[in-house]
Amino acid sequence: MRIARLLAVFFFLATSSTLLAATKAIKFGKLVDGTGRVFTNAVVIVEDDRVQRVTSGNASIPSGAEVIDLSRYTGIPGLIDAHTHMTYYWDGITTPRTELPRHPAVTVVLAQENARKALEAGVTTIRNLNAVDGTDLAMRDLINMGKMIGPRMFVSGLGVRITRSTAPPVPIGIMADGVDAVIHAVRQVIASGADWVKMYGSTGGFDDLTQFQTFTFEEMKAAVDATHALGKKIAIHSYGPSGARDAVRAGADSLEHATDMDDQTIAEMVKRKTYYAPTIDHNQYYVENADNVYRFPPGTKERLLGYIQRNFETAKKAFQAGVHIIVGSDAVYNGWGLNMRELDWLVKIGMTPAQALKAATTEPAAMLGMEKSLGAVAPGFYADIVAVEGDPLANISAVSNRDNVRWVMKAGLVVVDKTKGTGKTN
Ligand SMILES: [Zn+2]
């Protein structure tokens, strides 16, 4: 009897301490909170999945809170990568894009590796733009259920394309031609459960650097209107200037990649507040992997380098004009984990490190309509917090170089902890 009562007490203590552990007090040497404030000797109080308060100095810590001492590091908000391809998984053996087709369930399981690499780069939220067979929808839902570990996902399902041959076979989307077909495709995508619509407004991708406009202005306008009518948002891909011009005029919520944009299009983007993901680093990644991984034809690297230069100049012009620029890695295959290298380019186009950090936090959070819960370490926000080595406001490599990411919390749960190890990833 006595033992039973003792056991009951122990059981109570054990369960109550588990409950109390839902309160965490995280100490940082410095905290860049994402709203423009910087705290020294910060203490972030996290209650379940949300930030309860942020203080500095000798703030009182709630009794029973689990104290996590990261005072050697700088805290920043969880990072947002606004353009990814989570389900593009490579086995490291064959050549990407020529692997045999996999069952969608196999892809979902394998792609967890991409999800883990994203978290290790400090990415706690992504916008995923194009995936086949509902694999992105499945991952989003499994992650939201807590059954799979990975960044929070906003997904587009199948991208909408014009009818054209694609060789070699790559994950393709819904083919639609003409206004009626486009409206139907957009509604299908949204009915499938997508958060966003992705439209391919031009050719271009991988080693294909052509910039031919695909959908007409009327088709883009129909897609935008059909998307907005259902309360969703649309991202339009364009490698070239004419697709970009029409995408912006049609009212796209974000424009992906676009190079060689004219001044009027850039001015229109400022006026309409069209978000722009230049995805510059993405082609740098292809240059680095052109021979050994992709086996691109001779001359591809030179063309990629030329494209990067024009992409860079366009992004610089857009930034100077006041366009809302966001970090999009366009991560595919073994590019996962390099997600935040785009920040280095944003600093090169003239952003301060603080501005670049916004392009991976508050700006994409606003684009996603999540400005009250993502992109900042502030009361009421999701407890998405990253600890980095170094001072990102002095040198953005504290964030862009994944080796400096030491610890990651997503919605109150620690998902990466390299505070004791070397911090090196594969
Ligand atoms: Zn892409």
Short mmCIF file of all heavy atoms in Angstrom, two decimals, residues 353-408:
data_model
loop_
_atom_site.label_atom_id
_atom_site.label_comp_id
_atom_site.label_asym_id
_atom_site.label_seq_id
_atom_site.Cartn_x
_atom_site.Cartn_y
_atom_site.Cartn_z
N PRO A 353 23.65 42.92 -43.95
CA PRO A 353 23.29 41.61 -43.41
C PRO A 353 21.90 41.60 -42.77
O PRO A 353 21.16 40.62 -42.91
CB PRO A 353 24.39 41.34 -42.38
CG PRO A 353 25.56 42.10 -42.88
CD PRO A 353 24.99 43.36 -43.49
N ALA A 354 21.52 42.69 -42.12
CA ALA A 354 20.19 42.75 -41.48
C ALA A 354 19.08 42.68 -42.53
O ALA A 354 18.07 42.00 -42.33
CB ALA A 354 20.05 44.02 -40.65
N GLN A 355 19.29 43.36 -43.67
CA GLN A 355 18.29 43.32 -44.74
C GLN A 355 18.21 41.92 -45.35
O GLN A 355 17.13 41.42 -45.67
CB GLN A 355 18.64 44.34 -45.84
CG GLN A 355 18.38 45.78 -45.42
CD GLN A 355 18.96 46.79 -46.40
OE1 GLN A 355 19.99 46.56 -47.02
NE2 GLN A 355 18.28 47.91 -46.55
N ALA A 356 19.38 41.30 -45.50
CA ALA A 356 19.40 39.95 -46.07
C ALA A 356 18.65 38.98 -45.15
O ALA A 356 17.86 38.14 -45.62
CB ALA A 356 20.84 39.49 -46.27
N LEU A 357 18.87 39.14 -43.84
CA LEU A 357 18.20 38.27 -42.87
C LEU A 357 16.67 38.42 -42.96
O LEU A 357 15.93 37.44 -42.85
CB LEU A 357 18.71 38.60 -41.47
CG LEU A 357 18.61 37.53 -40.41
CD1 LEU A 357 19.26 36.22 -40.86
CD2 LEU A 357 19.26 38.02 -39.11
N LYS A 358 16.23 39.65 -43.20
CA LYS A 358 14.78 39.88 -43.36
C LYS A 358 14.25 39.12 -44.57
O LYS A 358 13.10 38.66 -44.57
CB LYS A 358 14.50 41.38 -43.58
CG LYS A 358 14.43 42.17 -42.30
CD LYS A 358 14.13 43.62 -42.62
CE LYS A 358 14.05 44.40 -41.33
NZ LYS A 358 12.88 45.12 -41.12
N ALA A 359 15.09 39.02 -45.61
CA ALA A 359 14.66 38.33 -46.84
C ALA A 359 14.48 36.83 -46.61
O ALA A 359 13.93 36.13 -47.47
CB ALA A 359 15.67 38.57 -47.96
N ALA A 360 14.96 36.35 -45.45
CA ALA A 360 14.77 34.93 -45.11
C ALA A 360 13.90 34.77 -43.87
O ALA A 360 13.79 33.66 -43.35
CB ALA A 360 16.12 34.27 -44.89
N THR A 361 13.31 35.88 -43.40
CA THR A 361 12.46 35.79 -42.20
C THR A 361 11.15 36.58 -42.38
O THR A 361 10.17 36.02 -42.85
CB THR A 361 13.23 36.27 -40.94
OG1 THR A 361 13.77 37.58 -41.18
CG2 THR A 361 14.36 35.33 -40.58
N THR A 362 11.19 37.86 -42.04
CA THR A 362 9.94 38.63 -42.02
C THR A 362 9.32 38.81 -43.41
O THR A 362 8.09 38.80 -43.54
CB THR A 362 10.15 40.01 -41.37
OG1 THR A 362 11.31 40.62 -41.94
CG2 THR A 362 10.34 39.87 -39.88
N GLU A 363 10.15 38.98 -44.44
CA GLU A 363 9.60 39.20 -45.79
C GLU A 363 8.84 37.97 -46.30
O GLU A 363 7.68 38.08 -46.68
CB GLU A 363 10.70 39.62 -46.76
CG GLU A 363 11.21 41.03 -46.53
CD GLU A 363 10.23 42.10 -47.00
OE1 GLU A 363 9.65 41.94 -48.09
OE2 GLU A 363 10.02 43.08 -46.27
N PRO A 364 9.48 36.78 -46.32
CA PRO A 364 8.70 35.62 -46.78
C PRO A 364 7.54 35.28 -45.84
O PRO A 364 6.51 34.77 -46.30
CB PRO A 364 9.73 34.48 -46.83
CG PRO A 364 10.89 34.94 -46.04
CD PRO A 364 10.89 36.43 -46.09
N ALA A 365 7.68 35.59 -44.53
CA ALA A 365 6.56 35.33 -43.61
C ALA A 365 5.35 36.16 -44.04
O ALA A 365 4.22 35.66 -44.08
CB ALA A 365 6.97 35.67 -42.18
N ALA A 366 5.60 37.42 -44.41
CA ALA A 366 4.50 38.29 -44.86
C ALA A 366 3.93 37.77 -46.17
O ALA A 366 2.71 37.76 -46.37
CB ALA A 366 5.00 39.72 -45.02
N MET A 367 4.81 37.31 -47.07
CA MET A 367 4.33 36.77 -48.34
C MET A 367 3.39 35.58 -48.12
O MET A 367 2.39 35.43 -48.81
CB MET A 367 5.53 36.32 -49.20
CG MET A 367 5.12 35.73 -50.53
SD MET A 367 6.50 34.97 -51.39
CE MET A 367 6.70 33.47 -50.44
N LEU A 368 3.73 34.77 -47.11
CA LEU A 368 2.92 33.59 -46.80
C LEU A 368 1.66 33.94 -46.01
O LEU A 368 0.85 33.06 -45.72
CB LEU A 368 3.74 32.57 -46.00
CG LEU A 368 4.94 31.93 -46.72
CD1 LEU A 368 5.84 31.21 -45.74
CD2 LEU A 368 4.47 30.97 -47.81
N GLY A 369 1.54 35.22 -45.63
CA GLY A 369 0.40 35.63 -44.80
C GLY A 369 0.57 35.17 -43.36
O GLY A 369 -0.41 35.00 -42.63
N MET A 370 1.82 34.94 -42.94
CA MET A 370 2.11 34.41 -41.61
C MET A 370 2.92 35.41 -40.78
O MET A 370 3.68 35.03 -39.89
CB MET A 370 2.91 33.10 -41.73
CG MET A 370 2.18 31.99 -42.46
SD MET A 370 0.74 31.35 -41.57
CE MET A 370 1.55 30.42 -40.27
N GLU A 371 2.75 36.71 -41.09
CA GLU A 371 3.59 37.72 -40.45
C GLU A 371 3.35 37.86 -38.95
O GLU A 371 4.16 38.45 -38.25
CB GLU A 371 3.43 39.08 -41.16
CG GLU A 371 2.04 39.70 -41.08
CD GLU A 371 1.08 39.17 -42.13
OE1 GLU A 371 1.43 38.21 -42.85
OE2 GLU A 371 -0.04 39.69 -42.21
N LYS A 372 2.26 37.28 -38.46
CA LYS A 372 2.00 37.36 -37.02
C LYS A 372 2.48 36.12 -36.28
O LYS A 372 2.39 36.05 -35.05
CB LYS A 372 0.49 37.54 -36.78
CG LYS A 372 -0.03 38.85 -37.37
CD LYS A 372 -0.76 39.65 -36.30
CE LYS A 372 -0.89 41.13 -36.61
NZ LYS A 372 -1.39 41.45 -37.95
N SER A 373 2.97 35.12 -37.01
CA SER A 373 3.41 33.92 -36.30
C SER A 373 4.75 33.34 -36.78
O SER A 373 5.30 32.47 -36.12
CB SER A 373 2.34 32.83 -36.34
OG SER A 373 1.82 32.69 -37.63
N LEU A 374 5.27 33.83 -37.90
CA LEU A 374 6.57 33.33 -38.38
C LEU A 374 7.51 34.51 -38.69
O LEU A 374 7.05 35.60 -39.01
CB LEU A 374 6.40 32.50 -39.66
CG LEU A 374 5.62 31.18 -39.58
CD1 LEU A 374 5.50 30.57 -40.97
CD2 LEU A 374 6.28 30.21 -38.62
N GLY A 375 8.80 34.24 -38.63
CA GLY A 375 9.78 35.24 -39.07
C GLY A 375 10.37 36.09 -37.97
O GLY A 375 11.23 36.93 -38.23
N ALA A 376 9.91 35.90 -36.73
CA ALA A 376 10.46 36.69 -35.62
C ALA A 376 10.45 35.87 -34.33
O ALA A 376 9.67 34.92 -34.19
CB ALA A 376 9.65 37.97 -35.42
N VAL A 377 11.36 36.22 -33.44
CA VAL A 377 11.34 35.63 -32.10
C VAL A 377 10.66 36.66 -31.21
O VAL A 377 11.29 37.60 -30.71
CB VAL A 377 12.77 35.33 -31.59
CG1 VAL A 377 12.72 34.67 -30.22
CG2 VAL A 377 13.52 34.42 -32.57
N ALA A 378 9.36 36.55 -31.10
CA ALA A 378 8.58 37.57 -30.39
C ALA A 378 7.35 36.90 -29.78
O ALA A 378 6.92 35.83 -30.23
CB ALA A 378 8.15 38.65 -31.39
N PRO A 379 6.78 37.52 -28.73
CA PRO A 379 5.63 36.92 -28.05
C PRO A 379 4.51 36.54 -29.02
O PRO A 379 4.14 37.33 -29.89
CB PRO A 379 5.18 38.02 -27.09
CG PRO A 379 6.40 38.82 -26.83
CD PRO A 379 7.19 38.78 -28.12
N GLY A 380 4.01 35.32 -28.87
CA GLY A 380 2.90 34.85 -29.71
C GLY A 380 3.35 34.15 -30.97
O GLY A 380 2.56 33.46 -31.61
N PHE A 381 4.61 34.34 -31.36
CA PHE A 381 5.12 33.69 -32.58
C PHE A 381 5.46 32.23 -32.29
O PHE A 381 5.75 31.86 -31.15
CB PHE A 381 6.38 34.41 -33.09
CG PHE A 381 6.08 35.67 -33.87
CD1 PHE A 381 5.46 36.75 -33.24
CD2 PHE A 381 6.41 35.78 -35.21
CE1 PHE A 381 5.17 37.91 -33.96
CE2 PHE A 381 6.13 36.93 -35.93
CZ PHE A 381 5.51 37.99 -35.30
N TYR A 382 5.46 31.41 -33.33
CA TYR A 382 5.95 30.04 -33.18
C TYR A 382 7.38 30.09 -32.66
O TYR A 382 8.17 30.94 -33.09
CB TYR A 382 5.94 29.29 -34.53
CG TYR A 382 4.59 28.75 -34.90
CD1 TYR A 382 3.90 29.26 -36.00
CD2 TYR A 382 4.00 27.74 -34.16
CE1 TYR A 382 2.65 28.76 -36.34
CE2 TYR A 382 2.74 27.25 -34.49
CZ TYR A 382 2.08 27.76 -35.58
OH TYR A 382 0.84 27.28 -35.91
N ALA A 383 7.70 29.17 -31.76
CA ALA A 383 9.07 29.11 -31.23
C ALA A 383 9.96 28.41 -32.25
O ALA A 383 10.36 27.27 -32.08
CB ALA A 383 9.08 28.41 -29.89
N ASP A 384 10.22 29.12 -33.35
CA ASP A 384 11.17 28.67 -34.38
C ASP A 384 12.41 29.53 -34.18
O ASP A 384 12.42 30.73 -34.50
CB ASP A 384 10.61 28.94 -35.79
CG ASP A 384 9.44 28.03 -36.15
OD1 ASP A 384 8.99 27.24 -35.29
OD2 ASP A 384 8.97 28.13 -37.31
N ILE A 385 13.44 28.91 -33.62
CA ILE A 385 14.61 29.68 -33.21
C ILE A 385 15.88 28.92 -33.60
O ILE A 385 15.94 27.70 -33.48
CB ILE A 385 14.61 29.92 -31.68
CG1 ILE A 385 13.23 30.44 -31.21
CG2 ILE A 385 15.70 30.90 -31.28
CD1 ILE A 385 13.06 30.47 -29.69
N VAL A 386 16.87 29.67 -34.08
CA VAL A 386 18.12 29.06 -34.52
C VAL A 386 19.28 29.69 -33.75
O VAL A 386 19.30 30.91 -33.55
CB VAL A 386 18.31 29.28 -36.05
CG1 VAL A 386 19.64 28.71 -36.52
CG2 VAL A 386 17.16 28.67 -36.83
N ALA A 387 20.23 28.87 -33.31
CA ALA A 387 21.43 29.39 -32.66
C ALA A 387 22.60 29.26 -33.63
O ALA A 387 22.85 28.17 -34.15
CB ALA A 387 21.72 28.62 -31.38
N VAL A 388 23.26 30.37 -33.90
CA VAL A 388 24.40 30.34 -34.83
C VAL A 388 25.66 30.81 -34.13
O VAL A 388 25.63 31.59 -33.18
CB VAL A 388 24.14 31.20 -36.10
CG1 VAL A 388 22.95 30.68 -36.88
CG2 VAL A 388 23.99 32.68 -35.75
N GLU A 389 26.76 30.35 -34.69
CA GLU A 389 28.09 30.76 -34.22
C GLU A 389 28.41 32.06 -34.95
O GLU A 389 28.30 32.13 -36.17
CB GLU A 389 29.06 29.66 -34.66
CG GLU A 389 30.45 29.77 -34.14
CD GLU A 389 30.65 28.91 -32.90
OE1 GLU A 389 30.28 27.72 -32.95
OE2 GLU A 389 31.16 29.45 -31.92
N GLY A 390 28.79 33.09 -34.20
CA GLY A 390 29.15 34.36 -34.84
C GLY A 390 28.03 35.37 -34.81
O GLY A 390 26.95 35.10 -34.29
N ASP A 391 28.31 36.54 -35.39
CA ASP A 391 27.34 37.63 -35.39
C ASP A 391 26.82 37.86 -36.80
O ASP A 391 27.52 38.45 -37.63
CB ASP A 391 28.00 38.90 -34.85
CG ASP A 391 27.03 40.08 -34.82
OD1 ASP A 391 25.84 39.90 -35.20
OD2 ASP A 391 27.46 41.18 -34.42
N PRO A 392 25.60 37.44 -37.09
CA PRO A 392 25.09 37.56 -38.46
C PRO A 392 24.98 39.01 -38.93
O PRO A 392 24.99 39.27 -40.13
CB PRO A 392 23.71 36.91 -38.40
CG PRO A 392 23.38 36.73 -36.97
CD PRO A 392 24.64 36.78 -36.19
N LEU A 393 24.85 39.96 -37.99
CA LEU A 393 24.73 41.36 -38.40
C LEU A 393 26.09 41.92 -38.84
O LEU A 393 26.16 42.93 -39.53
CB LEU A 393 24.13 42.21 -37.28
CG LEU A 393 22.71 41.82 -36.87
CD1 LEU A 393 22.18 42.76 -35.81
CD2 LEU A 393 21.76 41.79 -38.08
N ALA A 394 27.17 41.27 -38.42
CA ALA A 394 28.51 41.69 -38.84
C ALA A 394 28.93 40.91 -40.08
O ALA A 394 29.57 41.46 -40.98
CB ALA A 394 29.51 41.46 -37.71
N ASN A 395 28.57 39.62 -40.11
CA ASN A 395 28.96 38.80 -41.25
C ASN A 395 27.89 37.73 -41.49
O ASN A 395 27.67 36.85 -40.66
CB ASN A 395 30.32 38.14 -40.97
CG ASN A 395 30.88 37.47 -42.20
OD1 ASN A 395 30.15 37.15 -43.16
ND2 ASN A 395 32.18 37.24 -42.21
N ILE A 396 27.24 37.83 -42.63
CA ILE A 396 26.10 36.97 -42.92
C ILE A 396 26.48 35.49 -43.00
O ILE A 396 25.62 34.60 -42.88
CB ILE A 396 25.36 37.43 -44.21
CG1 ILE A 396 23.93 36.90 -44.26
CG2 ILE A 396 26.11 37.03 -45.46
CD1 ILE A 396 23.00 37.41 -43.19
N SER A 397 27.77 35.21 -43.14
CA SER A 397 28.19 33.80 -43.20
C SER A 397 27.86 33.05 -41.91
O SER A 397 27.81 31.81 -41.90
CB SER A 397 29.68 33.68 -43.52
OG SER A 397 30.43 34.14 -42.43
N ALA A 398 27.61 33.80 -40.83
CA ALA A 398 27.16 33.16 -39.59
C ALA A 398 25.86 32.39 -39.83
O ALA A 398 25.54 31.45 -39.11
CB ALA A 398 26.95 34.20 -38.49
N VAL A 399 25.12 32.78 -40.87
CA VAL A 399 23.86 32.11 -41.20
C VAL A 399 23.96 31.33 -42.52
O VAL A 399 23.47 30.21 -42.62
CB VAL A 399 22.69 33.14 -41.32
CG1 VAL A 399 21.37 32.43 -41.57
CG2 VAL A 399 22.61 33.99 -40.07
N SER A 400 24.61 31.95 -43.51
CA SER A 400 24.63 31.33 -44.84
C SER A 400 25.47 30.07 -44.90
O SER A 400 25.21 29.18 -45.70
CB SER A 400 25.12 32.34 -45.88
OG SER A 400 26.44 32.76 -45.57
N ASN A 401 26.49 29.98 -44.04
CA ASN A 401 27.32 28.78 -43.97
C ASN A 401 26.72 27.83 -42.94
O ASN A 401 26.74 28.09 -41.75
CB ASN A 401 28.75 29.18 -43.58
CG ASN A 401 29.67 27.98 -43.50
OD1 ASN A 401 29.22 26.82 -43.51
ND2 ASN A 401 30.96 28.25 -43.40
N ARG A 402 26.23 26.69 -43.42
CA ARG A 402 25.49 25.80 -42.53
C ARG A 402 26.33 25.27 -41.37
O ARG A 402 25.78 24.81 -40.38
CB ARG A 402 24.88 24.64 -43.31
CG ARG A 402 25.91 23.77 -44.00
CD ARG A 402 25.26 22.57 -44.66
NE ARG A 402 26.12 22.05 -45.72
CZ ARG A 402 25.83 20.96 -46.42
NH1 ARG A 402 24.72 20.29 -46.19
NH2 ARG A 402 26.64 20.55 -47.36
N ASP A 403 27.64 25.29 -41.51
CA ASP A 403 28.49 24.82 -40.41
C ASP A 403 28.34 25.70 -39.17
O ASP A 403 28.70 25.28 -38.06
CB ASP A 403 29.97 24.79 -40.84
CG ASP A 403 30.24 23.65 -41.79
OD1 ASP A 403 29.38 22.74 -41.90
OD2 ASP A 403 31.31 23.67 -42.45
N ASN A 404 27.85 26.93 -39.36
CA ASN A 404 27.67 27.82 -38.21
C ASN A 404 26.34 27.65 -37.52
O ASN A 404 26.09 28.25 -36.48
CB ASN A 404 27.85 29.28 -38.66
CG ASN A 404 29.30 29.56 -39.03
OD1 ASN A 404 30.22 29.04 -38.39
ND2 ASN A 404 29.51 30.35 -40.06
N VAL A 405 25.47 26.85 -38.11
CA VAL A 405 24.16 26.59 -37.48
C VAL A 405 24.35 25.47 -36.46
O VAL A 405 24.69 24.35 -36.82
CB VAL A 405 23.10 26.21 -38.54
CG1 VAL A 405 21.80 25.78 -37.88
CG2 VAL A 405 22.88 27.37 -39.50
N ARG A 406 24.15 25.78 -35.17
CA ARG A 406 24.48 24.81 -34.13
C ARG A 406 23.28 24.17 -33.44
O ARG A 406 23.40 23.12 -32.82
CB ARG A 406 25.36 25.48 -33.05
CG ARG A 406 26.57 26.20 -33.59
CD ARG A 406 27.36 25.36 -34.59
NE ARG A 406 27.94 24.18 -34.00
CZ ARG A 406 29.17 24.12 -33.51
NH1 ARG A 406 29.95 25.17 -33.57
NH2 ARG A 406 29.61 23.02 -32.97
N TRP A 407 22.16 24.83 -33.53
CA TRP A 407 21.00 24.35 -32.77
C TRP A 407 19.76 24.94 -33.40
O TRP A 407 19.75 26.10 -33.80
CB TRP A 407 21.19 24.83 -31.33
CG TRP A 407 20.12 24.52 -30.34
CD1 TRP A 407 20.08 23.45 -29.48
CD2 TRP A 407 18.95 25.31 -30.03
NE1 TRP A 407 18.97 23.52 -28.68
CE2 TRP A 407 18.26 24.65 -28.99
CE3 TRP A 407 18.42 26.49 -30.55
CZ2 TRP A 407 17.07 25.15 -28.46
CZ3 TRP A 407 17.24 26.98 -30.02
CH2 TRP A 407 16.58 26.30 -28.99
N VAL A 408 18.73 24.12 -33.53
CA VAL A 408 17.49 24.59 -34.16
C VAL A 408 16.29 24.11 -33.36
O VAL A 408 16.18 22.92 -33.02
CB VAL A 408 17.36 24.09 -35.62
CG1 VAL A 408 16.07 24.59 -36.27
CG2 VAL A 408 18.58 24.51 -36.46
#
